[in-house]
Amino acid sequence: MRKQALILVCIVVFGVVGSCHGGSLKKGYYDNTCPDAEAIIKNDTEKRVANDPTLPARFLRMHFHDCFVRGCDGSVLLNSTTNNTAEKDAIPNLTLAGFDVIDDIKAEVEKECPNVVSCADVLALAARDAVSFKFQKALWNVLTGRRDGTVSQASEALANLPSPFSNFSTLVQKFANKGLNVQDLVVLSGGHTIGVGHCNTFSNRLYNFTGNGDQDPSLNATYATFLKTQCKSLSDNTTFVAMDPSSGLTFDNNYYVTLKQNKGLFQSDAALITNEISRIIVDELLVSEVFFREFALSMVKMGAIGVLTGNEGEIRKKCSVVN
């Protein structure tokens, strides 16, 4: 049985994630202090997604990158200062986008309830609402009550974020460091069903896999030929392609179909079929209902990593600067 069962017990019985996994988050944390907060975030997010279908992938990735560095504390949203290079300017985060939209959504919430709703919660809710928009129902529960961190360092992003070049054992360790298991690794990797990958994160697989000008033999040859038409050299760091070649804007379980066809874009995607246990999980997630159920569980778990609650941290007025 999955570790998430513990979290579900916490949620169902107590309405909070407390000792089970990080802080005292609960459903409807703002019901008394800002009852319209979640509706404001949902409505504003949906309006923006209707005009920009790339936002679900951007918000989901931003939320993931936030949670993996110092926990889900909104530290990825902070700008660098004269004396500090923040997470968002670390190499793995240079392709994050949508910070301005999160700032705008937070500003709408501030108009209604100043100094009440954290940027960390705004991001967690906006990620869920953006991905859920096409389904017209919430795909996972977002427990709230996170507080905002006051520290953001590029070096910590480099140290903590899983790399697209990672092998299986490295990925397992990076996830385990955050209290996540192999099931969570395979399930959350399914987020790659939406969004894009830049050529420089995978072109070594096309042109110089072992340093001898060779191609990764584990990559589907037909797919590799296509990728070479998009990424013409190792030095291309601006071109991007859909991570899921057949449904890059559709949130579904097709990512696992592509893995089985050896069309995982990154080495970290291909790594999931190099291990017997993760291959079994991949096969289970080929069933759509299983994927959506498991993704919802793992997102609740990820959303509770290292959260600040109670009097910890602060409630930022603007997401890009500490108070």
Side-chain angles (χ1 to χ4, degrees):
M1 193 171 228
R2 295 192 61 184
K3 283 186 192 173
Q4 282 89 337
L6 285 172
I7 288 181
L8 288 180
V9 169
C10 286
I11 296 166
V12 172
V13 178
F14 303 112
V16 302
V17 173
S19 58
C20 293
H21 203 269
S24 301
L25 303 181
K26 65 178 184 178
K27 196 152 175 59
Y29 179 84
Y30 299 108
D31 284 355
N32 295 323
T33 54
C34 190
D36 294 331
E38 293 196 24
I40 292 168
I41 293 165
K42 180 173 183 283
N43 292 338
D44 206 358
T45 299
E46 289 185 343
K47 271 189 236 166
R48 291 164 185 277
V49 172
N51 292 319
D52 183 357
T54 68
L55 281 179
R58 289 174 170 181
F59 285 175
L60 185 61
R61 183 166 178 244
M62 192 186 296
H63 180 36
F64 181 96
H65 282 222
D66 183 35
C67 291
F68 262 67
V69 185
R70 292 192 161 262
C72 313
D73 68 343
S75 55
V76 75
L77 305 172
L78 287 169
N79 287 340
S80 294
T81 62
T82 309
N83 301 317
N84 180 64
T85 305
E87 289 170 34
K88 67 164 63 170
D89 290 318
I91 289 171
N93 287 335
L94 293 177
T95 51
L96 291 181
F99 292 110
D100 55 329
V101 184
I102 295 295
D103 286 341
D104 290 346
I105 296 170
K106 165 68 168 171
E108 289 301 310
V109 177
E110 283 295 294
K111 285 181 197 169
E112 179 77 14
C113 313
N115 309 318
V116 174
V117 181
S118 69
C119 295
D121 278 343
V122 169
L123 175 54
L125 289 161
R128 189 272 310 274
D129 294 338
V131 175
S132 301
F133 172 61
K134 283 188 178 177
F135 298 85
Q136 289 302 294
K137 65 176 183 179
L139 292 185
W140 65 88
N141 286 322
V142 174
L143 307 180
T144 44
R146 296 168 189 80
R147 304 266 294 176
D148 293 323
T150 57
V151 176
S152 180
Q153 297 176 339
S155 58
E156 294 188 349
L158 279 169
N160 286 279
L161 288 171
S163 159
F165 305 105
S166 295
N167 62 22
F168 184 74
S169 59
T170 302
L171 291 169
V172 169
Q173 187 59 58
K174 292 275 189 183
F175 274 68
N177 290 345
K178 305 301 171 187
L180 301 176
N181 58 27
V182 174
Q183 178 87 10
D184 300 310
L185 163 62
V186 181
V187 169
L188 292 172
S189 295
H192 286 177
T193 187
I194 51 175
V196 299
H198 286 73
C199 290
N200 59 325
T201 57
F202 61 84
S203 57
N204 67 307
R205 301 185 74 198
L206 305 175
Y207 298 113
N208 199 30
F209 187 58
T210 65
N212 295 312
D214 54 339
Q215 184 173 301
D216 182 349
S218 73
L219 183 61
N220 180 293
T222 306
Y223 186 41
T225 301
F226 163 73
L227 290 174
K228 284 178 176 177
T229 68
Q230 306 300 303
C231 305
K232 303 235 172 20
S233 74
L234 277 169
S235 59
D236 184 344
N237 61 2
T238 53
T239 307
F240 52 83
V241 300
M243 290 189 284
D244 183 338
S246 55
S247 62
L249 288 172
T250 305
F251 189 80
D252 55 24
N253 68 330
N254 194 63
Y255 170 79
Y256 302 101
V257 176
T258 66
L259 286 188
K260 297 282 285 185
Q261 297 168 338
N262 294 312
K263 293 180 182 176
L265 187 61
F266 305 128
Q267 280 171 249
S268 58
D269 295 320
L272 301 183
I273 54 173
T274 64
N275 172 271
E276 186 179 355
I277 294 170
S278 60
R279 276 199 304 271
I280 292 169
I281 298 168
V282 166
D283 285 341
E284 291 170 347
L285 296 170
L286 292 168
V287 179
S288 185
E289 297 78 19
V290 175
F291 167 65
F292 282 101
R293 182 188 73 224
E294 295 297 315
F295 193 82
L297 290 170
S298 287
M299 285 301 294
V300 172
K301 197 172 171 184
M302 187 193 83
I305 295 172
V307 292
L308 303 174
T309 58
N311 294 317
E312 299 171 313
E314 64 181 17
I315 303 296
R316 266 181 241 147
K317 294 179 176 63
K318 285 183 66 179
C319 293
S320 57
V321 293
V322 295
N323 293 343

